[in-house]
Amino acid sequence: MDGMVDGKKMTGLEDDNNNNNNPEISAGEAAASPAKRLKLAHHSDLHPRLQAPRIFAPFRTIGLVSPTAVPFTSLPLGKTTFQITTSVGQCLHTYDLSRGLNLIFITRPQTPALITATVAWKDRVLAAWGGDGPNQELGIWVFQRGKLCGELEMPLGLDEQIKELVVFGSWIVGRCLTRIEVWKSANYEHYTTLTPTSTRGSSTGSTISGGMCNMPTFLNKLLIGKEDGGVDIWNVSTGKLVYTIFPPDLTSGSVTSLQPTPTLSLVAIARANGSITIHDIRTDKTVMKLNAGGAPTANITSMSFRTDGYGAGEDGQEAGIMATTGTDNGDVTLWDLNEGGRVVGILHGAHNPPSSVRGGVAGGINRVEFLPGQDVMITSGLDNALKSWIFDANSLSKVPRVLHSRTGHAAPVTKLSFLPTDSEGADATGKWILSAGRDQSLWGWSVRKDGQSGELSQGAVRKKAKKLGLLGKTLEIDSSISLEDLKAPEITCFACSLNRDGGMGAAPGAGGIWTNVANKKGTSDASDSGTTGWESVVTGHRGDKYARTWFWGRKRAGRWALETNDSTEVTSVAVSSCGTFAVVGSAGGSISMFNLQSGIMRQRFPAPLNPAQAKKLKLQQLDSEQLLANSSRFGPGQGKHKKAVTGLVVDPLNRTVISCSIDGKIKFWNLHTGILLDEIDWSPMTAITAAQYYKSSDLVALSCDDLSIRIIDIETKKLVRELWGCLGQISDFCFSNDGRWIVAASMDSVVRVWDLPTAHLIDAFRVDSPCTALAFSDTGEYLATAHADGVGINLWNNRTIFTHVPTRMIKDDEIFEAALPTTSGERGQGLLAAAFDETEKGGEDEGDLLMDQPPTIDSLSNDLLTLSLVPKARWQTLLHLQTIKARNKPTEPPKAPEKAPFFLPSLMNGVQEQKQVTNGTPTPSKDATPHSRISRPPLSSTKSEFTSLLHDFATRTTHQQQQQQQHHHENQADDRNPTPLLTHLSTLGPSAADTAIRTLANTEEMTAFVQALTARLRQRRDYELVQAWMNVFLKCHGGVVVGGGDGVPRLRDALREWREEQGREGKRLGELVGYCAGVLGWLRSVR
C-alpha cells in the first residue's frame, strides 16, 4: 500500500497559517475559541435513594456482557495483554484478554444516565453519559481501575448526546449530532466547540452522521464524517476548518465510519451506500474503491486494519488485511487490499443477526478491531457477546476461529429456576441458576463466580450450517436464513432433577442429539448411562411437539426428543424427584411419561385401554343404569384433559401425578397404572395457567386467569388458601424455601409477597419493567428476577435470614417504587449489610416500631403454652456456652511483639513518655482520686440492672408472704410479676445471661430467681427459656443446693415448688400432644 500515494502534497495540512489564502476554506472557518467557564461542581447526590422493599434488598445483576450499542474500547498493557472495556448500561466492565476475557473491573459509582460513548486512554477509561432527553443531564467521567477519578468540565448550553470520544495528543474530543466538543487532557477543562458547516450543493445540513478519527503524525488534526458524505479536517488547537474532502457523488450517502490505515496519510471512508474509499488526505485523491459496483451490501459501521504484517497474499505472508462489519448482520468481511482489493473471507455468524420476527432478539456487530501487532481480532455485538478471534498461521482458511468468548442472553429471559440439589449435595445451596430466553438458548449461571457461567450446547450448529450451505452464498441471497434457525425453538418450560445426573462423566451416547426413540429402528441401549448417569433437564419449546433432554453436568444437549402422544405442542414438563422419569403435557390435553435413561414412553395419563377394557366400557355405556351407578368412579381410559395441560407435578414418592389445565380441572393420577384417582373441578369459574409444588408440606399453588393464586393440599385435596391482589396477568410465582411465602410477579410491574399461614399480603414493590420470571433459592438467600426490557438476571437478598422484619399486612397504597439491582452492586447491599441496614427503619410506622422492640407475645388463652420469640440460637448457645468457650480457647499464649532495632525509638515507650511529660511537666490524670488496686469497690457501685430487678422481685415476694400470714389467706391471688426481670434477662446475650446467673451472690438471690422461674411457668409463657435458664442454674449452683448453710432449706422448698409445677405442666402438655397425634392418625388412616 506504500506505493499508492502519489501526486502533489497539500501544504494546508503542514502549515495552518496559509489556509487564509484558500477561499474555499476561509468561507468555512470557525470562530475563535469561546471563553472558558468555571468547572462545574461535582455531583453530590448521584443516585437518589429509592425506598427498598422490607423483605428483599437489591444485590446485583448477572448475565450482562455487552448488551448496548456502545462499542467496546481496548487498552494495551505492555506487550503481553490487553484490557477490553464494554458498556452494560450505567457502568463499565473491563476484561483481561490474557486471562481468557475474565472480568477484572466493574466501575463504581454508576453514571446517573445511560453511557453513550467510551474510550480507553493510558490507564484510564472515559465514559460519556446522558443527553437522551431535552433536559437530561450529561457528562463525561474518568475511571481508573474501576474507580471514579475525575470529571470533564461540560460547556454551557450543551444539550446533545455525546456519541463518540477520541483522545489524541493533549486533546479529548467528543462528537455530538451537530457539534464537536474539545477538552484538554491535562486538566479536563473545556477548550473549544467546533461547528461543522454543510457542503456546497448539499441540502442535508451539517449533521455529523458518524465517524471521527485522528491521523497519526498529523499534529492536532481531526477528521469528521458528515451526513452529506463529506469529511471535514479540523485543527482542534486553533479551532479552524483546514480542509473538506467532498464525496465522489451525491448518491454516496452519509459517512458511516472513518478509520486511519497503517500507511501514513491514508484513511478509509465508509458511506451509507456500502462503498469503501481509501483516500489520501495529503493529495485529496482516491487511491482505491471497494464494493463500488453497485451491489447491495450491508451498512458498514466499523473497520479495522491488521498490523502484524501477515494474512494477505496467496501465502498469507503479506500485509494489507482489512475487516469490515455493520449492525445490519452478524458477519465480518475480510479484505485483501493488495492488487486493487478483494474479499478473501467472510466470517458468517460471528454474532447473532438482528431479528424482529423472533420477539426482539438483538443482533448485529457494533465494532471490530485488530489488536495492535497481534493476529487477534476482537468483536462485540448487540447480542450481549464479546469475542476474540485468532488467525492460525499455517491454516489454509483466511477466516479466524474463536479464541475466547463472553456471552449472555441476547433477548429477555422468560424462565428462571435455581438448580435443585442432587442426592449428594454437590451442587447444593443455590449456587446455580437455570434460565431460558427468547434467543432460543438455555443457560446456567453461577451466583458465586461469573467465569463459570455458560450456555448449554445445542451441538455443532456452525458445522451443520456448512453442510446445509447456509454459510455460503445462500445466506447472502436470502437474509431470512440464519444460524438461529438451526437451534431448538424458544423454551417455554423446563424441569430438572440432579439425582441421576452423571456430571462430566455422563455417557453422551453414540448417536446424535435429540433422537426420537419411537422413530428409531432397533432397541435403545442404555447400559452405559446406567453406570454413569443420564440427562437431568427436560425442556418444552414453542410450537414444537418434542420435549428435549439435556445433560447438566456436561453442559450439552441430550440424547432424546420426547414426542407428545397427540403430536401437539408441548406446554408443560416435570421430572420425578428420583430423576428417572419425565412427564410431558401437550396442548391437546395428553400426558405421557418417559424413562430418561432409555427415552422410551412408559405410561400415558389416562392409560390406553386394552381390547377387554374397551369392550367392557362400551357395554357400560349401553347400560345407562350401570353408567349412572358408576358415574362417581373413574375407570381406565377416562379423565383426559380437554384443553392444554399447563402444569405437572410428581410427588416425592412417585405414587401420584398431579396435572392442571386451562379447562379448570386439577387431576390426580396413579403414576403406575395411569388411572385417574380424583379431580378438582373449578370450571367454568376459572382456568388454571400454571402450577408450583412445595414437597415439604404437600402444597400445590395454582395461578388462575382471574388474577388469583389458589393453594390446595394434595393429601386432603381441599382448597386451603386464596390469594388476591394482582392487577395484571400473573407472569410467574414461586414458594419461598421454607414454604411460608408465595412470591408472585404480574404484568402490572408489581412483585407481591403473601404469608401463607395468614393469607396476608406482607410486602409489595413496583419496578420499572414487568417481571417475566422469578425464582427463590433453596437456601433462602436470594430471589432472582428477570424483566421484559433486559437480558440480565437480578438478584435480591433476603433480609429475614439474619434479622427480624415486620410482616404485617399492607394495603394497596403502601406499594412503592423500588430500584432494581445493578451489575456493579452499587445501589444494592450485601447479605449481611442488607440484614443489618438501619437506614430503612426511619420509614416504618408505629406498629412496625413496636414489633422491633424486644420480642414479646401475649397468650391468646391461659390454657395455651406459649414459646418466646427469642432466636433459637441464643438459648441453645447458652446451654453449651462452656463447650463453645473450650473449643475457642487459644492453642498457645499470645506472643510478645518483637523489639525494635536500637536505632528506632519504641512506639510504646514514646507514647507513655508523651503522656507522662508535656513540655517538661507531668500531665495529671483526668481522675485525680486514687483507687486501690487490692480492695474491691463498694457493692452498690457494681450493682447490675439484673440484680436490681431480682431484689425488687424478692421484696415483693416477701411482702406478699407477710400479708398472707397476717390475714391467713393461703389462697390469695399471686400478684408477683416476674415479667420485668425475665424480659431483661431474655435481652441479654448468651455470655451476659450466663454471667448473670453465675453471679447470684447468696441463697436469697437464688431463691428469688427460682421463684421467678416458677411464676413464669405458671403463666405458661417463655417455656423453652425457663427450661434453659433452670438448666444453667442447676449446673452453676447445684453444689449449694445439696450442701448446707443458712437459707438452703428455703431454696430447696422453692425448687420443689418448681418441680411440682413443671410436672403438672409436662403432664398436661403430653396429654394434649397425644390427643392431637391420635386425631391426626385417625384422619390420615385409610378407613
Side-chain angles (χ1 to χ4, degrees):
M1 295 177 61
D2 294 337
M4 298 178 184
V5 183
D6 57 358
K8 185 178 178 180
K9 297 182 179 180
M10 293 175 54
T11 58
L13 295 180
E14 299 177 0
D15 187 4
D16 292 332
N17 295 327
N18 297 330
N19 286 339
N20 293 332
N21 299 327
N22 190 339
E24 295 180 0
I25 298 177
S26 61
E29 289 181 354
S33 102
K36 308 294 187 298
R37 70 180 183 88
L38 295 177
K39 191 171 183 178
L40 296 177
H42 191 72
H43 299 268
S44 59
D45 187 10
L46 302 179
H47 304 288
R49 186 178 180 88
L50 299 178
Q51 187 173 0
R54 295 193 299 176
I55 296 178
F56 300 107
F59 180 36
R60 67 186 184 102
T61 301
I62 60 176
L64 299 180
V65 179
S66 177
T68 67
V70 179
F72 70 89
T73 180
S74 63
L75 178 69
L77 296 181
K79 297 182 180 180
T80 58
T81 186
F82 293 82
Q83 288 184 356
I84 314 297
T85 301
T86 64
S87 169
V88 294
Q90 293 179 257
C91 72
L92 303 175
H93 284 188
T94 301
Y95 301 90
D96 191 346
L97 184 61
S98 65
R99 301 180 185 177
L101 290 180
N102 272 3
L103 181 63
I104 56 175
F105 298 126
I106 300 179
T107 57
R108 297 185 68 176
Q110 284 202 142
T111 56
L114 293 177
I115 295 174
T116 58
T118 61
V119 64
W121 169 58
K122 294 183 178 179
D123 59 343
R124 304 172 188 179
V125 178
L126 281 69
W129 51 267
D132 290 336
N135 298 322
Q136 187 180 26
E137 187 180 8
L138 50 82
I140 300 177
W141 286 0
V142 184
F143 295 95
Q144 186 176 20
R145 298 182 64 85
K147 297 181 180 180
L148 180 64
C149 63
E151 180 181 2
L152 271 65
E153 174 191 7
M154 302 308 295
L156 293 174
L158 179 60
D159 57 355
E160 296 181 6
Q161 187 181 85
I162 300 174
K163 297 184 177 182
E164 188 177 0
L165 289 173
V166 172
V167 180
F168 65 97
S170 59
W171 311 106
I172 300 175
V173 183
R175 174 177 64 87
C176 303
L177 183 63
T178 60
R179 54 197 286 183
I180 301 293
E181 302 294 342
V182 183
W183 293 267
K184 291 183 178 180
S185 60
N187 51 15
Y188 303 151
E189 290 184 356
H190 184 257
Y191 181 71
T192 187
T193 299
L194 309 178
T195 306
T197 59
S198 60
T199 306
R200 293 181 304 173
S202 173
S203 60
T204 58
S206 59
T207 303
I208 304 173
S209 59
M212 178 178 66
C213 69
N214 70 295
M215 297 297 295
T217 73
F218 285 78
L219 187 63
N220 301 329
K221 303 304 184 297
L222 179 71
L223 277 67
I224 303 170
K226 297 191 298 182
E227 185 75 22
D228 53 22
V231 177
D232 286 349
I233 304 176
W234 288 79
N235 187 315
V236 296
S237 178
T238 62
K240 295 180 179 181
L241 178 64
V242 178
Y243 194 76
T244 298
I245 301 175
F246 297 102
D249 53 68
L250 297 179
T251 62
S252 299
S254 60
V255 176
T256 57
S257 179
L258 289 174
Q259 182 66 30
T261 69
T263 303
L264 297 181
S265 75
L266 296 185
V267 62
I269 305 173
R271 292 182 170 88
N273 64 348
S275 64
I276 303 174
T277 303
I278 307 297
H279 200 86
D280 188 348
I281 63 173
R282 295 171 62 93
T283 61
D284 192 15
K285 291 184 178 181
T286 299
V287 177
M288 183 183 301
K289 292 183 179 180
L290 303 176
N291 196 28
T297 58
N299 189 17
I300 297 173
T301 57
S302 178
M303 298 181 293
S304 182
F305 293 88
R306 185 172 173 178
T307 58
D308 63 340
Y310 297 98
E314 296 296 334
D315 56 355
Q317 301 299 313
E318 300 179 13
I321 289 293
M322 179 181 68
T324 62
T325 188
T327 57
D328 293 342
N329 55 38
D331 303 337
V332 178
T333 305
L334 300 174
W335 301 79
D336 186 349
L337 300 182
N338 296 285
E339 300 179 0
R342 61 189 178 90
V343 176
V344 295
I346 299 178
L347 180 59
H348 290 287
H351 292 266
N352 290 338
S355 175
S356 59
V357 297
R358 279 187 287 270
V361 178
I365 302 177
N366 53 24
R367 184 171 186 183
V368 59
E369 179 182 346
F370 283 99
L371 296 181
Q374 304 290 328
D375 56 352
V376 177
M377 181 178 69
I378 306 294
T379 60
S380 67
L382 300 178
D383 58 349
N384 194 24
L386 176 67
K387 299 180 181 180
S388 63
W389 309 80
I390 188 169
F391 293 82
D392 294 327
N394 299 323
S395 176
L396 298 178
S397 175
K398 301 293 185 180
V399 178
R401 59 178 175 86
V402 174
L403 179 62
H404 302 114
S405 176
R406 286 298 297 263
T407 58
H409 279 290
V413 178
T414 56
K415 289 293 179 182
L416 280 178
S417 176
F418 276 89
L419 208 66
T421 59
D422 61 4
S423 57
E424 299 178 354
D427 283 313
T429 64
K431 175 184 177 181
W432 291 95
I433 297 177
L434 203 62
S435 67
R438 295 179 183 173
D439 56 350
Q440 305 167 235
S441 63
L442 182 65
W443 277 78
W445 301 97
S446 174
V447 177
R448 302 175 186 174
K449 189 174 182 180
D450 290 339
Q452 296 178 349
S453 304
E455 180 183 358
L456 274 67
S457 172
Q458 299 189 23
V461 177
R462 291 184 56 85
K463 186 179 295 185
K464 292 179 183 178
K466 289 181 180 179
K467 292 181 179 180
L468 296 175
L470 296 182
L471 294 185
K473 297 181 179 180
T474 307
L475 188 62
E476 298 178 2
I477 298 174
D478 187 0
S479 60
S480 63
I481 301 177
S482 67
L483 298 180
E484 298 300 316
D485 296 326
L486 298 178
K487 288 187 174 182
E490 176 188 342
I491 297 174
T492 57
C493 55
F494 59 73
C496 179
S497 176
L498 297 182
N499 286 327
R500 295 292 183 179
D501 188 85
M504 288 299 297
I513 64 172
W514 295 331
T515 303
N516 186 7
V517 179
N519 299 333
K520 185 178 180 181
K521 295 182 180 180
T523 59
S524 177
D525 185 10
S527 57
D528 293 338
S529 62
T531 58
T532 63
W534 49 82
E535 295 91 330
S536 55
V537 180
V538 179
T539 57
H541 303 261
R542 187 177 305 278
D544 195 0
K545 64 179 180 180
Y546 294 104
R548 291 169 166 82
T549 61
W550 306 73
F551 288 99
W552 165 251
R554 298 181 66 89
K555 302 293 191 298
R556 55 156 290 178
R559 300 167 292 169
W560 314 124
L562 312 176
E563 185 178 1
T564 56
N565 186 30
D566 53 2
S567 297
T568 57
E569 177 184 355
V570 176
T571 55
S572 59
V573 293
V575 178
S576 61
S577 299
C578 64
T580 304
F581 300 106
V583 185
V584 180
S586 71
S590 69
I591 304 173
S592 306
M593 184 176 69
F594 298 84
N595 187 300
L596 287 176
Q597 183 181 3
S598 62
I600 300 175
M601 181 185 296
R602 293 303 186 187
Q603 189 58 270
R604 298 177 184 176
F605 304 93
L609 297 177
N610 56 40
Q613 292 174 335
K615 184 177 180 180
K616 183 178 179 180
L617 180 60
K618 187 175 181 180
L619 293 175
Q620 290 178 356
Q621 292 175 350
L622 294 176
D623 190 352
S624 59
E625 295 181 359
Q626 187 176 0
L627 182 63
L628 293 175
N630 296 331
S631 60
S632 60
R633 300 176 66 251
F634 302 99
Q638 297 180 350
K640 178 183 177 181
H641 285 289
K642 298 180 180 179
K643 295 183 179 180
V645 179
T646 55
L648 288 171
V649 170
V650 181
D651 74 328
L653 300 180
N654 285 359
R655 295 183 302 180
T656 307
V657 174
I658 304 168
S659 64
C660 62
S661 172
I662 297 179
D663 59 11
K665 296 181 180 180
I666 305 106
K667 297 181 182 290
F668 300 83
W669 309 86
N670 187 301
L671 183 140
H672 303 285
T673 63
I675 297 177
L676 182 61
L677 302 177
D678 202 351
E679 74 173 10
I680 301 174
D681 190 359
W682 290 343
S683 64
M685 178 179 62
T686 186
I688 304 171
T689 57
Q692 293 287 345
Y693 176 56
Y694 185 71
K695 63 181 180 181
S696 298
S697 58
D698 278 343
L699 295 179
V700 176
L702 305 133
S703 61
C704 305
D705 63 352
D706 59 357
L707 308 184
S708 69
I709 298 177
R710 294 176 169 87
I711 294 91
I712 62 172
D713 187 343
I714 65 173
E715 286 290 336
T716 62
K717 299 178 177 58
K718 299 293 184 182
L719 178 67
V720 295
R721 287 291 184 273
E722 286 189 3
L723 307 177
W724 298 84
C726 293
L727 301 180
Q729 179 184 357
I730 299 174
S731 55
D732 200 4
F733 66 102
C734 65
F735 282 93
S736 61
N737 65 308
D738 56 0
R740 186 179 179 88
W741 301 335
I742 287 284
V743 185
S746 55
M747 298 310 294
D748 58 353
S749 302
V750 177
V751 178
R752 295 174 172 85
V753 183
W754 286 274
D755 184 63
L756 278 184
T758 61
H760 289 168
L761 181 66
I762 58 175
D763 196 10
F765 56 93
R766 180 175 286 104
V767 291
D768 296 335
S769 176
C771 178
T772 57
L774 54 83
F776 213 105
S777 65
D778 293 338
T779 58
E781 294 178 87
Y782 303 112
L783 174 70
T785 61
H787 299 267
D789 62 349
V791 295
I793 299 174
N794 300 310
L795 294 179
W796 307 73
N797 281 322
N798 183 6
R799 283 196 179 104
T800 61
I801 294 181
F802 293 106
T803 187
H804 171 69
V805 176
T807 54
R808 62 172 179 83
M809 183 178 180
I810 66 172
K811 301 178 181 179
D812 292 339
D813 56 357
E814 297 181 65
I815 301 175
F816 51 84
E817 297 283 344
L820 288 175
T822 61
T823 183
S824 63
E826 179 192 351
R827 289 185 298 203
Q829 295 173 304
L831 198 57
L832 292 176
F836 299 104
D837 184 18
E838 299 293 337
T839 60
E840 304 295 337
K841 291 186 178 180
E844 302 289 348
D845 57 12
E846 183 179 357
D848 293 340
L849 293 177
L850 291 176
M851 295 183 68
D852 289 336
Q853 297 298 323
T856 59
I857 187 170
D858 294 329
S859 298
L860 300 178
S861 172
N862 293 331
D863 296 332
L864 295 179
L865 183 65
T866 306
L867 303 179
S868 70
L869 296 180
V870 175
K872 183 179 179 181
R874 182 179 296 181
W875 58 267
Q876 284 187 343
T877 302
L878 178 62
L879 293 176
H880 306 284
L881 186 61
Q882 300 306 315
T883 303
I884 296 174
K885 288 182 177 180
R887 184 182 60 191
N888 297 337
K889 185 178 180 181
T891 57
E892 59 182 5
K895 296 181 180 180
E898 297 182 0
K899 295 183 178 180
F902 68 92
F903 53 83
L904 293 178
S906 174
L907 179 61
M908 185 63 67
N909 295 337
V911 173
Q912 292 177 353
E913 293 174 359
Q914 185 177 1
K915 289 183 178 180
Q916 293 175 359
V917 179
T918 303
N919 296 329
T921 59
T923 302
S925 62
K926 295 181 180 180
D927 189 0
T929 305
H931 292 286
S932 174
R933 298 183 180 181
I934 300 177
S935 62
R936 297 179 60 183
L939 184 62
S940 59
S941 63
T942 62
K943 191 174 182 179
S944 63
E945 184 178 357
F946 172 76
T947 305
S948 301
L949 294 174
L950 183 63
H951 288 174
D952 293 342
F953 177 78
T955 302
R956 294 196 305 270
T957 302
T958 304
H959 180 68
Q960 182 177 2
Q961 291 177 352
Q962 292 176 356
Q963 288 183 347
Q964 290 180 356
Q965 293 177 0
Q966 292 177 2
H967 300 282
H968 304 284
H969 292 307
E970 296 181 357
N971 297 327
Q972 186 176 2
D974 189 358
D975 59 354
R976 294 173 295 175
N977 185 12
T979 299
L981 171 65
L982 299 184
T983 299
H984 171 73
L985 185 59
S986 65
T987 60
L988 300 179
S991 297
D994 181 80
T995 302
I997 297 175
R998 286 181 180 274
T999 55
L1000 295 175
N1002 48 51
T1003 56
E1004 294 181 359
E1005 292 184 357
M1006 297 179 189
T1007 303
F1009 182 72
V1010 174
Q1011 291 174 345
L1013 297 183
T1014 305
R1016 197 63 163 182
L1017 198 59
R1018 291 194 183 99
Q1019 295 177 349
R1020 296 173 179 170
R1021 297 176 60 181
D1022 301 340
Y1023 185 78
E1024 82 282 13
L1025 283 183
V1026 172
Q1027 305 301 320
W1029 290 332
M1030 181 56 72
N1031 187 303
V1032 175
F1033 174 81
L1034 293 177
K1035 286 181 180 179
C1036 299
H1037 305 291
V1040 179
V1041 176
V1042 299
D1046 297 338
V1048 173
R1050 189 163 175 263
L1051 175 60
R1052 293 175 180 172
D1053 293 339
L1055 287 173
R1056 292 190 187 98
E1057 183 181 2
W1058 182 88
R1059 185 176 61 182
E1060 294 174 358
E1061 187 64 32
Q1062 171 70 14
R1064 286 194 296 268
E1065 189 61 28
K1067 181 180 179 181
R1068 187 182 72 90
L1069 184 61
E1071 292 176 351
L1072 290 175
V1073 172
Y1075 173 77
C1076 294
V1079 173
L1080 185 60
W1082 180 81
L1083 292 174
R1084 287 179 175 267
S1085 63
V1086 296
R1087 293 174 295 177

